[in-house]
Amino acid sequence: MRGDRARGVHAWDRSILLWDVYFAVAWLATQTMLLGAEHPVWSGRAVAAGLLVPLVPWYAVVGRRLLGEDPPDERRSRYYLAGALALFLPSAVLAGETRILAFALIPQCFMTLRMRDALIAVTATNVVPVAGWALLWRPGDEDLLVNTLSALVTLVFSAVVGGWIIRIIEQSLERAELIAELDASRHEISRLSAAHGALAERERLAREIHDTLAQGFTSLLMLVQAVDAELDTDPAQARRHLALMDETARRNLAEARALVAGGAPADLAGASLPDALDRLAARHEATLEVTGPVRVLPAGVEVVALRACQEALTNSRKHAGSSARAEVRLDYAGETLTVSVRDDGRGFDPAAVSRGYGLAGLRARAAEVGGTASVRSAPGGGTTVTVRLPVPAAVAAAVRSPTP
């Protein structure tokens, strides 16, 4: 399939019928001029005309197929042209009118042979008929000069035009190879693009699951452990934790449905970003402070802000210690939205963290919308996670120049 498309760029593939017509016209014109000539005698002209008759099936069966090959087979091309010249040259020696058929044979030499072999065949096609005709019929000086000059001009013209044909063929072959390479590259790019898209989608789903379902299941597991420890000693607290388990499970179910549907996170459905963060902070017993002019931002920016806050608060609960307090700050500036989560827990050394998905996923999620995420912490000094996200220029301009 690919090779067929590449062959379609060759000029001779599209015009093989024109070569058929050209050969037929040259052959008929040669026969007409030959049979209507006065010299040589009728028997000589009849022999010359008879030698040209097998050229028609020879071209139709062998030559035409060679002209359509990409590239023509060299051995079969030599075989074909040797047979064609074996019929043409004796006829051209017998009658000068036959030489007009050379204009149909010479292009075939250049289309099927290499340049050197083509020039040899073309030289024989032009020189042998004149030389043989001169030796056989002993013409006068004027006729000999005219025929010699005609053969010389035809030879030079054939070399020039033949070189042009060879260059066209070489360029067409190069174009065919280039098209095949481009076609292969296009398929490879398509395959790599599909693979990259699948990988990006897998990473996106992994982040979504980590930031929503995985964290919810972690909370459920912690609540189950708390209920198990409180059933005998503090039933009231156990019931409160059971109610929290119910709420967490329902929230996880809503997140799962939003994830499958590709919609906004459950906390953002029908609510503003500050409201969603307020509910999130309340679930983690954290405080929320909002500064700057609150406004609706693109969904991608708000989702990243919410997920970043979820990740930071979950990590704070897991690693900062049970007595640690967390604070969430949401700052609406002119060209940026900043979310920071700070706790006064035990802290850690960020440089020592080489594994885990949370921080890497947080940075990747921020980078998707052109933002940055940073973590500042030290053993015993608490932890601060800061995410800065760019605000689209149109939204920022609306804040700088509010409509009266």
Side-chain angles (χ1 to χ4, degrees):
M1 180 73 70
R2 191 177 301 168
D4 293 341
R5 287 198 299 270
R7 281 192 57 201
V9 303
H10 293 304
W12 62 86
D13 285 332
R14 296 194 298 266
S15 57
I16 190 68
L17 290 178
L18 294 178
W19 287 111
D20 295 343
V21 173
Y22 177 65
F23 181 85
V25 170
W27 187 87
L28 289 173
T30 300
Q31 292 288 47
T32 301
M33 294 180 64
L34 180 60
L35 295 177
E38 297 180 357
H39 183 81
V41 296
W42 169 251
S43 59
R45 284 181 282 138
V47 171
L51 287 172
L52 297 182
V53 172
L55 266 179
V56 176
W58 186 243
Y59 167 78
V61 175
V62 182
R64 189 176 188 276
R65 184 178 302 174
L66 282 170
L67 297 183
E69 289 183 358
D70 177 26
D73 180 79
E74 279 192 62
R75 185 181 63 81
R76 288 174 50 235
S77 296
R78 293 194 187 100
Y79 175 69
Y80 163 70
L81 288 172
L85 292 180
L87 296 170
F88 166 75
L89 292 178
S91 177
V93 169
L94 287 173
E97 290 77 8
T98 308
R99 295 172 210 157
I100 193 173
L101 191 60
F103 288 97
L105 295 177
I106 288 173
Q108 297 180 19
C109 296
F110 288 106
M111 292 170 67
T112 57
L113 297 175
R114 295 179 182 271
M115 189 65 177
R116 184 183 58 122
D117 295 340
L119 288 175
I120 293 173
V122 169
T123 301
T125 302
N126 284 280
V127 173
V128 170
V130 175
W133 172 79
L135 292 175
L136 179 63
W137 300 110
R138 304 290 180 178
D141 292 342
E142 184 178 351
D143 288 343
L144 180 60
L145 178 61
V146 170
N147 281 270
T148 301
L149 290 177
S150 176
L152 180 61
V153 171
T154 304
L155 177 60
V156 173
F157 175 79
S158 300
V160 173
V161 175
W164 176 71
I165 293 175
I166 290 291
R167 284 195 298 273
I168 288 179
I169 293 175
E170 290 175 348
Q171 289 176 358
S172 296
L173 291 175
E174 291 174 359
R175 287 173 56 195
E177 293 176 358
L178 179 60
I179 289 173
E181 292 176 1
L182 289 176
D183 194 35
S185 299
R186 181 171 60 83
H187 284 283
E188 181 65 13
I189 290 172
S190 177
R191 185 188 67 81
L192 292 176
S193 178
H196 177 73
L199 180 60
E201 180 64 11
R202 187 182 309 158
E203 291 180 351
R204 186 190 72 82
L205 287 175
R207 286 196 302 270
E208 293 290 339
I209 292 172
H210 175 271
D211 292 346
T212 57
L213 303 182
Q215 292 179 0
F217 289 133
T218 300
S219 298
L220 285 173
L221 181 60
M222 294 172 62
L223 289 169
V224 167
Q225 294 172 345
V227 170
D228 183 61
E230 295 164 349
L231 278 175
D232 296 330
T233 59
D234 192 350
Q237 183 69 10
R239 281 192 294 271
R240 284 193 293 271
H241 281 156
L242 283 174
L244 189 54
M245 288 174 60
D246 178 78
E247 179 187 351
T248 303
R250 292 179 184 276
R251 189 170 59 252
N252 246 29
L253 181 59
E255 291 286 3
R257 288 171 176 167
L259 185 60
V260 170
D267 283 334
L268 279 175
S272 66
L273 178 61
D275 291 338
L277 293 186
D278 187 50
R279 290 195 296 269
L280 179 64
R283 290 198 298 268
H284 289 80
E285 299 179 350
T287 61
L288 172 66
E289 180 183 359
V290 180
T291 60
V294 177
R295 57 199 183 274
V296 177
L297 298 178
V301 175
E302 293 192 341
V303 169
V304 171
L306 176 64
R307 297 301 190 213
C309 191
Q310 284 179 325
E311 174 67 20
L313 288 174
T314 300
N315 285 339
S316 176
R317 177 190 290 179
K318 289 167 56 178
H319 305 297
S322 58
S323 61
R325 292 176 300 173
E327 300 174 353
V328 179
R329 181 182 177 89
L330 180 63
D331 180 30
Y332 285 87
E335 298 180 352
T336 59
L337 175 70
T338 304
V339 180
S340 61
V341 178
R342 181 183 179 281
D343 67 61
D344 56 2
R346 60 173 63 99
F348 66 101
D349 181 6
V353 178
S354 58
R355 300 181 62 183
Y357 189 82
L359 294 179
L362 183 64
R363 293 188 178 97
R365 188 187 288 277
E368 284 184 354
V369 295
T372 60
S374 61
V375 179
R376 187 174 73 251
S377 183
T383 301
T384 301
V385 177
T386 304
V387 176
R388 291 183 175 85
L389 307 174
V391 173
V395 178
V399 174
R400 289 193 298 268
S401 303
T403 302

